[in-house]
Amino acid sequence: MDGNGRWAGSRGLPRTAGHTEGEENLARLVRVAVRRNIKWLTVFGFSTENWRRPRPEVRHILGLHEKLFGRVKELNELNVRIQWIGRPFDSPAARTPRYVQRAIRKAIADTADNTGMVLTVAFDYGGRSELVAAVEAARHSPDGVTVDSISEHLYMPELPPVDVLVRTSGERRVSNFLLWQSAGAAIYFTDAPWPDFDEYELDAALALPR
Ligand code: FPP
C-alpha cells in the first residue's frame, strides 16, 4: 500500500495523515472487494524493514493496525474473516508490542466463523524471513526440502497462490512480499498512491489476463 506519505506530502499534510487515510481506504476497499466476490485479499501493512522508520511514524502505523484489527463489527457484517501473517510473536527478532498482538489475536478469534472473503494482513512480514523459516522446518519433514514441504511450512499454508499482485504509487518492485506465493502472479502497476486506489483501480487490476 505504497504512497501514503506522498499522498499526504502533496497536500501539505504530515506523513501520518497519509497513513490514516490509507487505513480508511483499506476499509473502503474491503467492501468493494467483497462486492466483487474476491475470496482472498492480502495486504502488506508493515514489513520487517519498516521498524527502521522514525519512531513516531512507527507508533502511528501500529495504532492504525490496532484500529484495523478493531473493525470486528464491520468485518462480521461483511462476513469477512481476518488473518495475519508475519514473524511469530515469540521469534527472537520479533518486536510486535503486546497491544498489537492482543488486537490481532482478538480479531482473528472474533471473525473466525465468517465464511466470506479472507482478509490477511501482513504485519512484521518479510518474504525472505518466511522462506528461511519454512525451509528450516521443511528440512525436518519426512521427504526433506521439496516444493510441497516448503509450501506446508509457510506462515499460512492455506493461502492460495497469488493471482494478481498490485503495486501502487509508481513502484515497480516486488519488495519482499509473498515471494513464494507470487511465483505465477500477474502484476498490476499503477501511479495512484494507495489512498486513491479505488474501485476503478481494483477493476483494472482484476481485468489483467490471468
Ligand atoms: C506505505 O506508504 C505504507 C506503509 C508502510 C504503512 C502501512 C499502511 C497503512 C497504514 C495503510 C493501512 C493499513 C493497515 C493494515 C492498518 P509509504 O509510507 O511508503 O508512502 P511513500 O511511499 O509515499 O513514502
Side-chain angles (χ1 to χ4, degrees):
M1 295 178 282
D2 281 290
N4 294 339
R6 279 166 277 179
W7 180 91
S10 68
R11 286 163 175 75
L13 298 169
R15 294 178 58 81
T16 48
H19 295 316
T20 300
E21 185 60 26
E23 194 276 335
E24 297 281 344
N25 193 46
L26 178 56
R28 285 193 291 270
L29 208 77
V30 164
R31 288 182 180 277
V32 178
V34 167
R35 280 205 302 274
R36 296 295 187 271
N37 213 17
I38 289 173
K39 299 291 179 217
W40 300 83
L41 177 65
T42 306
V43 294
F44 206 168
F46 196 81
S47 73
T48 48
E49 290 76 36
N50 283 157
W51 296 106
R52 290 195 216 114
R53 292 191 179 208
R55 277 180 74 156
E57 186 177 347
V58 168
R59 251 199 308 274
H60 186 81
I61 296 174
L62 295 186
L64 289 173
H65 279 76
E66 191 185 19
K67 182 174 178 198
L68 178 77
F69 281 98
R71 290 181 183 263
V72 166
K73 187 164 172 281
E74 255 173 273
L75 295 169
N76 282 339
E77 280 164 10
L78 293 166
N79 194 24
V80 169
R81 181 158 68 88
I82 201 159
Q83 278 291 349
W84 158 73
I85 50 171
R87 279 191 295 210
F89 297 142
D90 60 358
S91 79
R95 295 169 58 175
T96 305
R98 295 231 183 260
Y99 75 93
V100 179
Q101 296 184 20
R102 264 196 302 273
I104 291 176
R105 286 204 184 92
K106 185 166 175 4
I108 291 173
D110 291 352
T111 64
D113 292 337
N114 293 338
T115 55
M117 187 176 83
V118 180
L119 170 66
T120 305
V121 180
F123 176 88
D124 194 24
Y125 174 84
R128 285 181 157 189
S129 300
E130 177 180 37
L131 280 176
V132 169
V135 172
E136 186 53 40
R139 283 191 330 134
H140 305 292
S141 61
D143 295 336
V145 178
T146 64
V147 168
D148 285 346
S149 66
I150 292 176
S151 298
E152 280 162 20
H153 290 94
L154 296 172
Y155 291 146
M156 193 177 153
E158 65 271 36
L159 200 66
V162 174
D163 280 333
V164 185
L165 183 73
V166 171
R167 277 316 305 254
T168 56
S169 210
E171 299 296 340
R172 299 281 189 275
R173 296 166 290 119
V174 173
S175 298
N176 207 13
F177 188 51
L178 300 179
L179 296 178
W180 182 270
Q181 299 87 335
S182 296
I187 309 187
Y188 177 71
F189 296 113
T190 175
D191 289 334
W194 170 252
D196 291 338
F197 189 92
D198 58 13
E199 58 187 293
Y200 302 104
E201 289 282 346
L202 182 68
D203 288 341
L206 295 174
L208 284 185
R210 284 180 267 148

